[in-house]
Amino acid sequence: MAPHTQQLTAAPAVQLRGLTRSFDGRTVLDDIDLDLPAGQFTALLGHSGSGKSTLLRAIAGLDHEVVGSGRLTAPERVSVVFQDSRLLPWRRVLDNVLLGTNGKDAAEKGREALAEVGLKGRERAWPNELSGGEAQRAALARSLVREPELLLADEPFGALDALTRIRMHVLLRELWERHRPSVLLVTHDVDEAIVLADRVLVLDRGRIGLDLTIEAPHPRSYRHPLLGEYRERLLAALGVTEDHQ
Amino acid sequence: MTTTTTTVPVTAAEDTPAVRRRRRRGLAPGKRLPASRIVGPALFLALWAAASAAGQLDPGAIPAPWTVLRTAGHLWTAGTLPTDMLTSLERAAYGFALGLTAGVVLALASGLSRIGEALIDGTVQLNRAIPTLGLIPLFILWLGIGETFKIAIIAIVVYIPIYLNLHAALSGIDHRYVELAEVQGLSRLQFIRQIVIPGALPGFFVGLRLGVTGSWLSLVVLEQINATSGLGYLMFQAQNYGQSDVILVGLLIYGVFGLVSDSAVRLVERRVLSWRRTLSS
């Protein structure tokens, strides 16, 4: 685990100090202090309405027009993967991947990124010819091609079927191993968080309710016995009790 | 009640005779008939020809199709039809080009900037409320009875639908794409060129087709009110002399013009919006 040692000394990729956001007088994020070390894969769990998307949008800088205070530092190269693939229907897949990039070798990089996500040969396809999983792969390629220091993902697999989702989990983890961006994955799926992330945060009423480091080797199986413990702790932090057991 | 149900082709029918299932009847209209656009008009033409041949139609009111064709040929070789057609085409083309330019420029100015919107949108909406053909007397006073006022009226009729549809499309840009552009670090110019404009094209084509139709519509009215040449003038003269065949020739040519220009716009639209897959394709 050599890569980890050098990251311990590096400055955090994301630093939040006293971050507060509110909508119509309702406080959604309440005085959050948080450091995300460079290269860490973090998952952010929470109920719907807990403010997890608000936190992600704040870090992405997508919340102009929102009332708030606090200090926030984030890397320059940030990519966002949304729940919908958000491909422009009037551009072919490769041109979608290249959106916002320039330079003469951009097209070559775009092809490489598409090959990396398993979409080699689909460069000239229109987005509406792709399946849901393929579209989300293209969206991943679009975020990769910018070589992000920080990858923000807002429930990126929420709209996919269960089988495709598992395949995307493997892919995302592989891509992370290869490129080592800092990742903040917003999800409401506890298992997804445990299987993918090295650290899981639970956001509860605008505050970080639980900060859990998951120490289990990758790749992780859903049936790994260690994960059951983490699962219970996380569900408890989310206020879910498994009465039926 | 008659139902046209078909059975699913069963490969091993002898094994499963009891569970033959009726295939559900689809709710979609089904496959398109071959040459379906032409069927209706062809039938109409056949009826017209048959009624004329049988002597059921008064040739003074509704001449036979072949009479209309013969008159068209005669007007083309010996009459003023070529110049009349050219004059009409020219008017429509000038008016349309002017209206298209004005509509696009105003919609861009108003759809892409808040100041532009404040200045332009209300004014155009007000203009829209006034029936354009009602402006004819005023325009004749201002611009004289020549070509200028005709072209001006056509341009107004054309620019309004183009402006309205393009402006609505520009300002109705999906907020998710705005976010995407911000995340991908697009500049304002890149955002407009790569997202706003292509996203607004479908709306623009709706306006364009309405505009093309509008240019012919206003042309017919203008040429019948006061003109000394053009198809409408030809038809107006024919009315004075009771030449219903000439009137029909004029209508026929207007129809062909309208059909051809609409088809041309649709052809361009299909090319430009090839990424769209809709029910009709």
Side-chain angles (χ1 to χ4, degrees), chain B residues 37-47:
Chain B
R37 283 236 174 90
I38 304 177
V39 173
L43 194 69
F44 176 76
L45 201 66
L47 277 174

Side-chain angles (χ1 to χ4, degrees), chain A residues 57 62 64 80 82 84 86-91 99-100 126 128 142 146, chain B residues 176-177 179-180 182-186 190 194-195 198-199 274-277:
Chain A
R57 295 169 61 83
L62 284 174
H64 21 252
V80 181
F82 300 96
D84 58 310
R86 222 165 278 201
L87 300 173
L88 301 171
W90 51 85
R91 299 185 126 201
L99 182 72
W126 293 110
N128 61 14
R142 180 180 60 199
R146 308 158 54 77
Chain B
R176 298 174 315 137
Y177 294 146
E179 258 181 22
L180 176 69
E182 287 174 9
V183 165
Q184 298 293 114
L186 263 59
Q190 283 176 318
Q194 299 181 20
I195 294 184
S274 55
W275 50 271
R276 278 187 137 196
R277 282 192 310 184

Side-chain angles (χ1 to χ4, degrees), chain B residues 41-62:
Chain B
L43 194 69
F44 176 76
L45 201 66
L47 277 174
W48 178 16
S52 299
Q56 295 294 310
L57 295 175
D58 173 13
I62 308 173

Side-chain angles (χ1 to χ4, degrees), chain B residues 213-272:
Chain B
T213 318
S215 69
W216 294 116
L217 194 75
S218 47
L219 184 75
V220 175
V221 175
L222 286 166
E223 291 194 328
Q224 309 232 352
I225 290 176
N226 40 39
T228 53
S229 63
L231 282 174
Y233 172 71
L234 188 77
M235 290 160 71
F236 195 65
Q237 293 294 95
Q239 183 204 325
N240 287 342
Y241 299 111
Q243 301 163 311
S244 55
D245 50 343
V246 176
I247 297 179
L248 281 175
V249 169
L251 285 176
L252 191 72
I253 294 171
Y254 273 141
V256 170
F257 280 172
L259 207 65
V260 168
S261 52
D262 191 57
S263 306
V265 174
R266 279 163 61 149
L267 196 73
V268 176
E269 182 180 15
R270 213 174 303 165
R271 279 278 168 97
V272 175

Side-chain angles (χ1 to χ4, degrees), chain B residues 122-179:
Chain B
T123 322
V124 176
Q125 300 292 347
L126 202 68
N127 187 179
R128 185 171 79 111
I130 302 168
T132 307
L133 297 178
L135 293 172
I136 290 174
L138 196 62
F139 270 54
I140 292 177
L141 279 184
W142 287 348
L143 300 170
I145 203 157
E147 290 301 290
T148 325
F149 104 88
K150 294 192 189 72
I151 290 168
I153 295 280
I154 294 173
I156 292 178
V157 171
V158 169
Y159 104 95
I160 288 177
I162 290 178
Y163 170 88
L164 289 176
N165 284 285
L166 184 55
H167 176 254
L170 287 171
S171 44
I173 181 88
D174 194 332
H175 185 70
R176 298 174 315 137
Y177 294 146
V178 181
E179 258 181 22

